[in-house]
């Protein structure tokens, strides 16, 4: 009797994997679901305490929140809610998998994360990077109107007209590092970075061609950081 239960249990665990096989991508782990308490904590994050905590981040993310290497994202001027959510994603391991970041956040409490997020939100976002090539009209069209045929919603509809970020935790992307931008979009398209609750970035990136992805990265690097949508 007991043995039969064990076998049934094993089948339940193994079946979904063998049925879906490797050809079907499983959605990544669910992302943080906000509670009212967390939102309140992030809104009242302590900037000066956050500044102290961020000293241990600055050899990579810079004193002023501008990443020192191409693959290190800029955090300056980012919406605090978005930064907080990503720190939780690294800590939980799975929604975002990155060992160096996980080590840095593993001992941060929720309050520490709220404070450090408030500090980065208070900094001046990156200036336009005009060393990046200007982009063809079709790229600007993707940003402003999307592409109905492919079911692509305009980037600006969620990320704001100037890439300044949008509702709740939709990140500012204006002025983001080109290399980081491309890598992270690829992670979304391979379903290796957590979706937001609606899965929007994963679905969207799988429909973009490589050259469009590069063009979009260039567009936003050249744009520079816009004004914050919300504090
Ligand atoms: C050793 C270098 C290094 C250190 C130190 C470091 N980071 Fe990072 N951080 C990175 C890299 C590289 C990435 C991009 C990882 C990825 O692709 O997911 C990143 C990503 C992030 C992101 C995601 C940004 C986005 O736009 O999604 C946040 C937020 C962040 N780091 C905050 C911090 C904080 C806060 C600290 C200090 C407690 C810290 N980091 C320390 C290298 C570092
Ligand atoms: C339906 C809303 C929506 C649309 C449309 C959308 N995004 Fe996003 N985007 C999001 C959300 C929400 C996130 C944050 C996901 C998370 O929590 O990891 C995000 C994250 C990103 C990131 C990661 C930022 C970082 O710092 O790591 C980039 C880059 C990005 N989007 C670019 C784009 C581009 C380019 C387009 C247009 C082709 C686009 N997005 C369209 C909602 C959207």
């Amino acid at each position: 009797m007991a043995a039969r239960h064990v076998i049934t249990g094993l089948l339940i665990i193994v079946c979904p994997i063998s049925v879906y096989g490797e050809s079907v991508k499983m959605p990544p782990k669910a992302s943080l679901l906000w509670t009212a308490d967390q939102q309140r904590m992030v809104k009242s994050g302590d900037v000066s305490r956050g500044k102290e905590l961020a000293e241990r981040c600055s050899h990579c993310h810079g004193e002023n929140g501008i990443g020192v290497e191409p693959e290190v994202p800029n955090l300056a001027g980012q919406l605090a809610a978005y930064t907080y959510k990503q720190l939780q994603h690294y800590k939980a391991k799975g929604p975002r998998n990155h060992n160096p970041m996980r080590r840095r956040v593993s001992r941060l409490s929720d309050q520490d994360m709220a404070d450090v997020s408030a500090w980065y939100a208070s900094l001046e976002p990156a200036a336009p990077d005009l060393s990046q090539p200007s982009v063809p009209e079709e790229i600007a069209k993707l940003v402003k109107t999307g592409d109905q045929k492919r079911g692509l919603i305009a980037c600006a509809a969620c990320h704001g007209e100037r890439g300044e970020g949008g509702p709740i935790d939709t990140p500012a992307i204006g002025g983001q590092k080109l290399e980081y931008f491309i890598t992270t979009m690829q992670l979304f398209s391979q379903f290796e970075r957590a979706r937001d609750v609606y899965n929007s970035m994963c679905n969207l990136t799988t429909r973009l061609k490589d050259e469009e992805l590069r063009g979009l990265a260039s567009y936003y690097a050249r744009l520079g950081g816009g004004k914050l949508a919300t504090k």
Side-chain angles (χ1 to χ4, degrees):
M1 232 10 208
R4 192 186 296 163
H5 284 312
V6 171
I7 291 167
T8 316
L10 280 176
L11 280 177
I12 291 169
I13 295 166
V14 170
C15 269
I17 299 166
S18 54
V19 168
Y20 289 114
E22 285 185 350
S23 57
V24 178
K25 296 258 181 183
M26 300 292 278
K29 282 192 185 170
S31 69
L32 171 88
L33 295 174
W34 287 99
T35 64
D37 280 348
Q38 276 172 320
Q39 285 190 328
R40 218 171 298 125
M41 190 190 285
V42 171
K43 279 202 182 113
S44 56
D46 181 336
V47 174
S48 54
R49 189 167 174 274
K51 183 180 181 185
E52 278 169 36
L53 286 164
E55 276 168 21
R56 67 186 85 162
C57 322
S58 61
H59 63 280
C60 292
H61 290 286
E63 294 286 338
N64 50 2
I66 304 296
V68 299
E69 300 283 349
E71 70 278 8
V72 182
N74 297 332
L75 307 177
Q78 184 54 272
L79 271 71
Y82 171 77
T83 302
Y84 175 87
K85 180 175 160 188
Q86 301 311 312
L87 295 174
Q88 294 284 6
H89 281 182
Y90 288 120
K91 190 172 179 179
K93 190 191 174 192
R96 270 185 105 164
N97 251 321
H98 193 264
N99 282 332
M101 271 307 301
R102 190 176 80 254
R103 277 202 297 279
R104 263 77 187 190
V105 298
S106 61
R107 295 218 186 106
L108 296 184
S109 66
D110 288 1
Q111 187 64 56
D112 294 341
M113 291 188 196
D115 294 346
V116 92
S117 302
W119 160 247
Y120 283 118
S122 75
L123 300 173
E124 190 65 28
D129 179 359
L130 299 178
S131 71
Q132 300 303 338
S134 58
V135 297
E137 192 43 42
E138 302 86 77
I139 297 294
K141 226 176 138 199
L142 273 179
V143 169
K144 291 173 191 157
T145 52
D147 180 358
Q148 275 210 331
K149 273 197 225 121
R150 284 186 281 168
L152 287 171
I153 307 172
C155 318
C158 293
H159 291 282
E161 295 264 343
R162 288 202 43 83
E164 74 277 21
I168 313 178
D169 52 25
T170 307
I173 53 174
Q176 190 48 277
K177 287 264 176 61
L178 178 109
E179 294 80 356
Y180 166 77
F181 191 114
I182 294 173
T183 313
T184 216
M185 292 285 273
Q186 285 165 343
L187 290 176
F188 278 127
S189 75
Q190 293 152 9
F191 286 61
E192 281 177 13
R193 180 177 161 180
R195 63 195 192 280
D196 58 289
V197 276
Y198 306 112
N199 227 357
S200 33
M201 284 310 295
C202 291
N203 288 336
L204 194 141
T205 43
T206 53
R207 287 178 232 154
L208 287 171
K209 298 182 203 122
D210 273 0
E211 64 266 27
E212 288 175 325
L213 220 156
R214 282 170 192 285
L216 287 162
S218 197
Y219 177 96
Y220 280 109
R222 282 179 66 87
L223 190 64
K227 284 217 179 78
L228 289 182
T230 45
K231 285 265 175 187

